[in-house]
Amino acid sequence: MFGDLFEEDYSSVSNDHYGKGKKLKTKALEPPAPRGFTNLSGIRNQGGTCYLNSLLQTLHFTPEFREALFSLGPEELGSLEDKDKPDAKVRIIPLQLQRLFAQLLLLDREAASTADLTDSFGWTSDEEDFLDLTVAVRNVSGLEDALWNMYVEEEVFDSDNLYHCGTCDRLVKAAKSELDDLEYMYDLFSVIIHKGGCYGGHYHVYIKDVDHLGNWQFQEDKSNPDVNLEDLQNEEEIDDPLMILKAVLLQEESNLIPVDQLGQKLLKKIGVSWNKKYRKQYGPLRKFLQLHSQIFLLSSDESTVSLLKDCSLQAESDIRGNDQQLLKTLTSEPPGLNDRPFCPHWFDVNDSRVQPIKEKDIEQQFQGKESAYMLFYRKSQLQRPPEARANPRYRVPCHLLNEMDAANIELQIKRAECDSTNNNFELHLHLGPHYHFFNGALHPVVSQTESMWDLTFDKRKTLGDLRQSIFQLLEFWEGDMVLSVAKFVPAGLHVYQTLDGDHLTLCEIEIADGEDIFVWNGVEVGGIQIPAGSDCEPLLLNVLHPATSNEEEECQQLIDSPHVFPSNAEIAEDSCLRPIDRNGKLLCPVPDNYTLKEAELKMGSSLGLCPGKAPTSSQLFLFFAVGSDVQPGTEMEIIVEETISVRDCLKVMLEKSGLSGDAWHLRKMDWCYEAGEALCEEDAALKELMLCSGDTLLLIEGKLPPLGFLKVPIWWYQPRGPLHRWKSHQDQTDCTFSQGGVWRADSIQDAPSDAHAEVSLRYLGDIEISEDATLGELKSQAMTLPSFSEFSIPSPAFLRAWTVESKRPGRLLRAHYQQLREYKLGQRTEICLEPLQKEENLGPQHVLLRTQMRLPGKRAYALPVDLVWDTARGWTAGSLRHRVADFYSLPVEKTEIAKYLPEKFEWLPVPSWNQQITKRKKKKKQDNLQGAPYHLKDGDTIGIKNLLVEDDDDFSTVRDDIGREKQKEFALGKKKSQEAFRVRSGDVPSGAETPARPRGPEASLSIHVGSFR
């Protein structure tokens, strides 16, 4: 019956099998999971083996095939132990299949493995054999009716369609109909189902458990104790159509009923029609009644049916005597409405998962994406012996029984070991009598090793079990025993939480693996009462204080000493503690009523013990210094009331610093340690301005302008170029001013014109102007300054205004009639004015660029020329290149441009974007000179190279080489000076070192920059 199953390939065979000293392939800590509530084993999917798994399960649940396979012994198959012997004839495939079926029957694993079986297959072809059936589909409702009409329903051969009899060799009348022999009746017992499309998907199988090997019980029905084997037996009797029809006819008067009504009565009693429940197996109702003519009597026209008298009496006697439960069921409500619906023994086997299902679930698998792929039938006549029922060991060979028993014992041992490993954890017991309380924490009397015991305990046990186990370990213990959670802190061992609730498990009270447990009487250790809890956790702090000599005179050197304090302790009142930052600076004193937690002190914090009292809750501790260039350590300190006004605070600071006069104002130092916005509201209280203790204020010379006015420093800016002819009467454009009046870069010889690196700004004076004034009014007021009389400017329209940023022209201020308030200049804005040859009116889409033509054969450029670029069509490289080429009358394809970076002395070429755009990146995002890396803006210098006369990619000049070299020398010198400073400060403690420039704490910023044109 196995065909060519023994024709196999011996090339690859696994050595893994149970018994004979072999072990299961399981992880040491994670053994395979046991079987689920169905008590059936699935098969693991190796990857694309779901169809194979479904087919193997079907063969396994076919008792006749399974037992025939088990009947093959060593005489037919050989033994796996002999497979390596040269003369041995070993049939590996059936042997591995026997072992797989034995595992599915007996091995307590959620899923078996087919690795050994598939290794022995040696597949050589993927071909499948199919049987084609031709059916007529016209005027039929479905495939079932088409198959019935074509192959089952009676067909009469007469008239012109006579049948040729092979026995008598002539044409005769005949009828083709279903055979009466029950030998040709089959029951559906397996459906392989495909889920997915025609190009891929997944297979699983619905299988009827013929031998009742599994636990057919839905998980929601587990709590119902009435479900037992007898109920299932009664359901099988109800499944017998002969008994059901007898019972229906017995309830009718004279036991006579029309055949059509018989089908309706049947539907009403069992909740399903004859065609849906019995036609597949028994054929049409009339055909079934004809086949059982010894019981049922049909009228001549087959319209009515009744029970034969003898059979009627016998049926009534049988039902009343042996089938009272059946009659009760049939005469009650249909199964869909009573407590226990009709459920045959069907299971859904889906690789590793096995679940019970109902018969109605199978009817849904013939439509949609999840439908039946292969059907398996079994002869209806086949009967299973009683000893095979619910007996997985039936007909299994003895050597496989022994092998599976040994494997199950090994699995039990591994699971027990794994369970113990997963539920046991380590506890560190610290015994109270072995500790003493010192310096705010617990410390071992002798050593940590002798004071701590390690205990392995099951976390599923209760706290009471743990206490009892410790009592048994500590025979010397007397009195009460309290268990508390303890932790090691830098100060020592500290007790936190006392464990209560002896009935709770260690998991419920959240005891962790490796927890430290302090065993004591709950009150004292060594006669000292022990503070417990997180509120009094000891903190180890390094306190810095001035060192004293033998004569008790204070020294300048600071020394630190460790001290332990409880976290809820208050600081002493006769002095103040001041935290010390990493740069050695004393910070704001901590108020006396603060706890260490409120003071935000952490483990290892450095504190300075300083004379004097800390500010109260209504006072502010402020640092202040004179000027904007603050050197570390030069700040002065002051304590003032938070309600004091800015004007009064300024007077106090001037008095303490020894300064006089009223031409001063205050500015708050920002996080970059630079002078920030001025405190303009002199009558406002410090609290209203959100000043806090620890803030630094700067005394800046100069009186603030009235509210709503700006005090603006004015500078004169005249770049070199052929279009800039405006000069002072003294012709000072080539002079270098001193005493801070001019910022100017030195010129270098051998560079015909490197004006891109030269910025000359001359200070003209300050003006006070309203924020409501226009830009034109600012220019007019600037022309009234005494220093401005040196220049011959016809009108304010011949001046271009820039903001000053990093001693260079920054943002271009356009729109002659726009108010200063709209520019958002701020109190510290400085303006430089540039003379023009003619009036200009730049729109919001215009960009002003300084362009310089590269001199052929020289590493230098011609004088800069202003170029206005209209960006209305976009900030693209191509648009700029066309504008430059048109301005200088050059071919576009022979024009190269680059942006100058003066702070780096480098040139950044602007490539041809159209040649570098990749398909995956959008051109709009890439071809935008406003973005990185160019960030093009007004006033930028653009170098231009004519490729017709100079075909290379070098834009640099001699000045650039010198500038980069100076930057390297400056960076190297700064590094050496810092190293020298560290060497000189080597005798100062690290906590008291003073760097050259302190850094403020880092802060995350979210900056939204708008367009101020």
Side-chain angles (χ1 to χ4, degrees):
M1 65 178 292
F2 297 103
D4 60 352
L5 181 64
F6 296 164
E7 300 302 325
E8 53 196 348
D9 181 12
Y10 295 89
S11 59
S12 62
V13 180
S14 171
N15 292 325
D16 176 44
H17 58 90
Y18 301 107
K20 301 296 181 181
K22 302 296 181 181
K23 296 184 179 181
L24 285 167
K25 288 184 179 179
T26 59
K27 296 182 180 180
L29 297 180
E30 294 294 337
R35 299 188 179 213
F37 71 96
T38 61
N39 198 34
L40 295 177
S41 177
I43 300 178
R44 285 199 302 271
N45 193 324
Q46 298 186 51
T49 61
C50 54
Y51 176 72
L52 173 66
N53 294 348
S54 300
L55 188 59
L56 289 174
Q57 289 282 19
T58 298
L59 296 177
H60 163 247
F61 276 96
T62 306
E64 293 75 18
F65 179 87
R66 183 179 68 239
E67 292 169 5
L69 179 65
F70 283 150
S71 66
L72 299 176
E75 298 80 8
E76 296 90 349
L77 305 180
S79 176
L80 288 176
E81 286 77 5
D82 300 334
K83 68 180 184 304
D84 295 328
K85 296 180 179 179
D87 299 333
K89 185 69 172 179
V90 181
R91 308 298 186 183
I92 300 179
I93 292 180
L95 288 173
Q96 293 292 2
L97 195 59
Q98 282 184 343
R99 293 183 61 252
L100 176 63
F101 283 3
Q103 294 172 20
L104 294 173
L105 287 170
L106 301 171
L107 190 60
D108 186 18
R109 294 179 62 167
E110 181 183 41
S113 173
T114 57
D116 295 335
L117 178 64
T118 55
D119 287 346
S120 66
F121 276 175
W123 286 323
T124 58
S125 175
D126 295 329
E127 297 180 0
E128 299 182 20
D129 295 329
F130 296 93
L131 177 63
D132 294 331
L133 295 179
T134 302
V135 295
V137 296
R138 177 176 295 181
N139 298 327
V140 294
S141 59
L143 178 62
E144 181 180 351
D145 291 341
L147 290 172
W148 177 268
N149 297 336
M150 180 66 69
Y151 298 102
V152 180
E153 191 173 25
E154 183 180 59
E155 180 181 358
V156 178
F157 298 91
D158 58 3
S159 301
D160 296 335
N161 188 25
L162 296 175
Y163 176 73
H164 180 269
C165 177
T167 304
C168 58
D169 194 20
R170 63 189 181 89
L171 297 175
V172 297
K173 291 185 177 180
K176 183 184 74 172
S177 62
E178 183 180 9
L179 296 177
D180 295 338
D181 193 352
L182 292 178
E183 182 181 356
Y184 296 97
M185 304 289 285
Y186 288 85
D187 293 335
L188 178 69
F189 80 100
S190 176
V191 182
I192 294 181
I193 298 163
H194 177 259
K195 181 178 182 180
C198 57
Y199 299 105
H202 177 69
Y203 291 91
H204 61 109
V205 61
Y206 287 175
I207 298 179
K208 187 173 183 179
D209 184 11
V210 177
D211 282 347
H212 297 276
L213 300 175
N215 177 24
W216 191 89
Q217 181 179 355
F218 288 90
Q219 289 184 300
E220 60 268 19
D221 297 336
K222 284 185 176 181
S223 59
N224 186 1
D226 298 333
V227 178
N228 51 38
L229 188 60
E230 293 181 2
D231 293 333
L232 300 178
Q233 292 173 348
N234 291 332
E235 289 172 357
E236 289 182 351
E237 292 174 355
I238 295 174
D239 196 31
D240 185 0
L242 194 62
M243 297 295 295
I244 296 174
L245 293 176
K246 286 181 181 179
V248 171
L249 288 171
L250 283 173
Q251 298 178 33
E252 300 296 325
E253 295 182 5
S254 69
N255 297 333
L256 179 66
I257 188 174
V259 176
D260 295 339
Q261 292 185 16
L262 178 61
Q264 296 176 3
K265 294 281 187 180
L266 178 69
L267 173 63
K268 182 177 180 181
K269 294 302 180 184
I270 66 175
V272 64
S273 67
W274 174 274
N275 287 340
K276 286 188 176 180
K277 185 169 182 62
Y278 299 113
R279 182 166 180 171
K280 294 179 183 177
Q281 184 173 352
Y282 300 103
L285 178 59
R286 281 188 172 84
K287 178 67 69 176
F288 182 81
L289 297 174
Q290 292 174 359
L291 292 174
H292 296 83
S293 58
Q294 73 278 13
I295 300 174
F296 304 106
L297 176 62
L298 284 168
S299 62
S300 58
D301 57 356
E302 299 184 351
S303 61
T304 61
V305 62
S306 62
L307 284 173
L308 294 175
K309 283 190 176 182
D310 295 340
C311 296
S312 174
L313 296 175
Q314 180 65 33
E316 185 175 0
S317 175
D318 292 343
I319 292 176
R320 290 176 180 175
N322 302 323
D323 293 44
Q324 286 296 325
Q325 181 63 32
L326 173 63
L327 182 59
K328 181 179 179 181
T329 301
L330 294 174
T331 56
S332 62
E333 295 295 329
L337 301 177
N338 58 15
D339 295 335
R340 176 94 181 140
F342 175 77
C343 296
H345 295 71
W346 285 86
F347 290 90
D348 178 11
V349 185
N350 192 343
D351 287 337
S352 301
R353 185 174 62 88
V354 182
Q355 296 289 334
I357 59 169
K358 299 179 181 180
E359 188 180 52
K360 63 180 181 181
D361 297 328
I362 305 175
E363 299 174 0
Q364 302 174 1
Q365 303 306 319
F366 297 91
Q367 57 185 353
K369 291 187 176 180
E370 187 169 2
S371 58
Y373 178 78
M374 185 179 294
L375 307 178
F376 292 84
Y377 291 86
R378 184 171 171 270
K379 282 188 176 182
S380 303
Q381 281 187 327
L382 295 177
Q383 299 293 328
R384 299 293 295 151
E387 57 270 20
R389 186 183 184 89
N391 181 14
R393 303 176 71 90
Y394 181 70
R395 295 286 183 91
V396 179
C398 292
H399 72 281
L400 290 176
L401 291 175
N402 297 334
E403 183 179 336
M404 295 303 111
D405 292 342
N408 282 328
I409 294 174
E410 185 175 356
L411 279 173
Q412 292 177 2
I413 296 174
K414 287 182 177 290
R415 287 176 183 142
E417 294 175 351
C418 180
D419 183 71
S420 175
T421 302
N422 293 338
N423 291 287
N424 287 351
F425 59 9
E426 296 288 334
L427 298 177
H428 305 307
L429 303 180
H430 302 269
L431 309 182
H434 295 176
Y435 278 81
H436 69 286
F437 189 77
F438 170 74
N439 200 15
L442 292 166
H443 301 272
V445 176
V446 181
S447 66
Q448 189 67 50
T449 305
E450 297 182 6
S451 303
M452 183 179 71
W453 291 13
D454 292 333
L455 175 65
T456 302
F457 203 73
D458 192 337
K459 60 184 177 183
R460 295 170 296 183
K461 293 186 177 181
T462 64
L463 179 62
D465 296 334
L466 176 62
R467 196 188 311 274
Q468 185 64 30
S469 299
I470 297 177
F471 262 121
Q472 295 176 0
L473 289 174
L474 306 179
E475 299 178 355
F476 61 86
W477 193 272
E478 296 180 359
D480 296 335
M481 174 183 289
V482 176
L483 304 181
S484 300
V485 176
K487 291 182 181 179
F488 280 104
V489 295
L493 185 69
H494 180 66
V495 177
Y496 285 87
Q497 171 192 359
T498 299
L499 300 177
D500 296 320
D502 284 2
H503 63 285
L504 299 175
T505 64
L506 300 187
C507 292
E508 293 174 334
I509 59 178
E510 298 181 352
I511 298 296
D513 188 17
E515 195 84 78
D516 292 291
I517 304 297
F518 191 66
V519 185
W520 60 317
N521 59 12
V523 180
E524 50 83 24
V525 173
I528 300 177
Q529 189 172 358
I530 304 300
S534 57
D535 292 339
C536 54
E537 177 183 322
L539 297 177
L540 178 63
L541 304 177
N542 294 322
V543 180
L544 286 176
H545 57 86
T548 56
S549 61
N550 294 334
E551 290 79 10
E552 297 184 357
E553 295 180 355
E554 291 189 0
C555 301
Q556 296 296 325
Q557 186 177 4
L558 296 177
I559 61 174
D560 61 343
S561 58
H563 292 273
V564 177
F565 301 94
S567 58
N568 58 357
E570 293 188 355
I571 300 176
E573 295 182 357
D574 56 348
S575 62
C576 66
L577 290 176
R578 299 180 60 177
I580 302 175
D581 66 7
R582 60 182 181 179
N583 297 319
K585 178 182 177 180
L586 288 170
L587 303 179
C588 176
V590 180
D592 295 341
N593 59 347
Y594 273 25
T595 65
L596 298 185
K597 186 175 183 180
E598 292 173 331
E600 299 181 357
L601 296 177
K602 301 179 181 179
M603 292 291 183
S605 298
S606 296
L607 291 175
L609 185 60
C610 303
K613 290 190 175 183
T616 63
S617 59
S618 63
Q619 293 178 328
L620 296 177
F621 181 92
L622 301 175
F623 297 96
F624 71 97
V626 179
S628 58
D629 189 12
V630 182
Q631 296 298 325
T634 61
E635 302 98 330
M636 291 175 278
E637 303 166 357
I638 189 174
I639 296 178
V640 296
E641 295 292 332
E642 63 180 2
T643 57
I644 192 174
S645 66
V646 175
R647 180 182 290 105
D648 294 338
C649 181
L650 176 61
K651 292 179 180 179
V652 175
M653 291 181 176
L654 288 174
E655 182 179 352
K656 188 166 184 178
S657 58
L659 300 174
S660 60
D662 57 356
W664 296 87
H665 66 275
L666 290 177
R667 291 182 182 270
K668 184 179 178 181
M669 180 181 286
D670 60 16
W671 68 281
C672 296
Y673 277 73
E674 297 177 354
E677 292 294 327
L679 304 183
C680 300
E681 303 179 26
E682 295 184 345
D683 295 328
L686 300 184
K687 182 179 180 180
E688 297 175 359
L689 299 178
M690 307 300 292
L691 288 176
C692 304
S693 290
D695 287 343
T696 301
L697 298 180
L698 300 178
L699 285 168
I700 304 298
E701 191 172 7
K703 193 170 181 63
L704 288 174
L707 191 62
F709 281 75
L710 298 174
K711 186 176 182 179
V712 183
I714 303 297
W715 297 80
W716 179 259
Y717 168 54
Q718 184 170 351
R720 297 177 58 189
L723 300 180
H724 295 88
R725 60 177 178 82
W726 300 110
K727 300 182 180 180
S728 68
H729 297 303
Q730 289 82 13
D731 195 15
Q732 294 176 335
T733 54
D734 296 329
C735 299
T736 301
F737 296 90
S738 59
Q739 299 179 356
V742 170
W743 294 330
R744 184 173 181 177
D746 296 332
S747 61
I748 297 180
Q749 297 180 356
D750 300 329
S753 178
D754 284 330
H756 58 262
E758 182 176 332
V759 175
S760 176
L761 293 177
R762 177 183 175 186
Y763 177 67
L764 300 179
D766 297 341
I767 63 172
E768 283 190 10
I769 189 169
S770 172
E771 292 181 333
D772 297 328
T774 64
L775 180 61
E777 292 173 344
L778 181 142
K779 295 177 182 178
S780 299
Q781 190 169 341
M783 293 177 64
T784 63
L785 292 173
S787 301
F788 205 92
S789 60
E790 302 176 4
F791 307 101
S792 300
I793 303 297
S795 68
F798 287 82
L799 290 175
R800 182 185 291 157
W802 302 80
T803 61
V804 178
E805 299 174 6
S806 302
K807 301 181 181 181
R808 290 178 177 273
R811 178 160 55 100
L812 176 62
L813 305 180
R814 60 192 78 205
H816 193 70
Y817 298 102
Q818 186 170 336
Q819 289 184 338
L820 301 181
R821 187 187 306 276
E822 299 177 12
Y823 290 110
K824 303 184 186 302
L825 297 179
Q827 292 290 337
R828 302 186 61 195
T829 301
E830 300 181 14
I831 301 294
C832 65
L833 300 176
E834 176 188 354
L836 298 175
Q837 286 281 21
K838 59 181 180 179
E839 297 182 13
E840 70 177 6
N841 184 19
L842 297 179
Q845 299 295 334
H846 292 155
V847 179
L848 177 67
L849 301 174
R850 313 284 192 188
T851 60
Q852 291 185 264
M853 176 63 72
R854 179 87 168 186
L855 298 178
K858 299 180 180 180
R859 296 184 64 200
Y861 290 85
L863 294 174
V865 179
D866 290 347
L867 180 145
V868 177
W869 173 36
D870 187 359
T871 61
R873 295 185 178 180
W875 289 70
T876 64
S879 175
L880 177 59
R881 191 183 308 277
H882 277 79
R883 178 70 180 98
V884 171
D886 181 65
F887 186 80
Y888 282 93
S889 301
L890 296 175
V892 176
E893 63 275 6
K894 295 299 181 179
T895 303
E896 286 294 332
I897 56 177
K899 177 189 173 182
Y900 185 62
L901 306 177
E903 67 279 0
K904 297 182 179 180
F905 296 95
E906 294 178 355
W907 292 85
L908 185 60
V910 180
S912 177
W913 288 98
N914 294 333
Q915 299 176 0
Q916 298 188 2
I917 297 300
T918 61
K919 294 182 179 179
R920 294 186 179 182
K921 296 182 179 180
K922 296 183 179 179
K923 182 177 180 181
K924 289 185 178 179
K925 185 176 179 181
Q926 289 285 330
D927 193 2
N928 190 337
L929 299 181
Q930 276 186 303
Y934 298 98
H935 303 288
L936 201 64
K937 63 183 184 303
D938 292 312
D940 283 346
T941 300
I942 300 296
I944 305 165
K945 182 179 291 188
N946 185 358
L947 298 182
L948 293 175
V949 296
E950 189 175 12
D951 190 8
D952 60 55
D953 55 358
D954 182 22
F955 280 86
S956 63
T957 65
V958 176
R959 178 182 293 276
D960 297 332
D961 297 340
I962 298 174
R964 287 193 295 268
E965 190 64 30
K966 287 184 177 180
Q967 283 184 337
K968 292 180 181 179
E969 294 176 359
F970 176 77
L972 183 60
K974 184 177 180 180
K975 182 178 179 180
K976 290 182 178 179
S977 63
Q978 290 177 350
E979 293 177 354
F981 175 80
R982 285 195 292 268
V983 172
R984 291 196 304 269
S985 305
D987 56 342
V988 180
S990 60
E993 290 184 3
T994 305
R997 183 79 170 178
R999 292 178 58 86
E1002 294 184 0
S1004 60
L1005 298 177
S1006 178
I1007 302 176
H1008 300 278
V1009 180
S1011 177
F1012 302 121
R1013 292 181 177 176

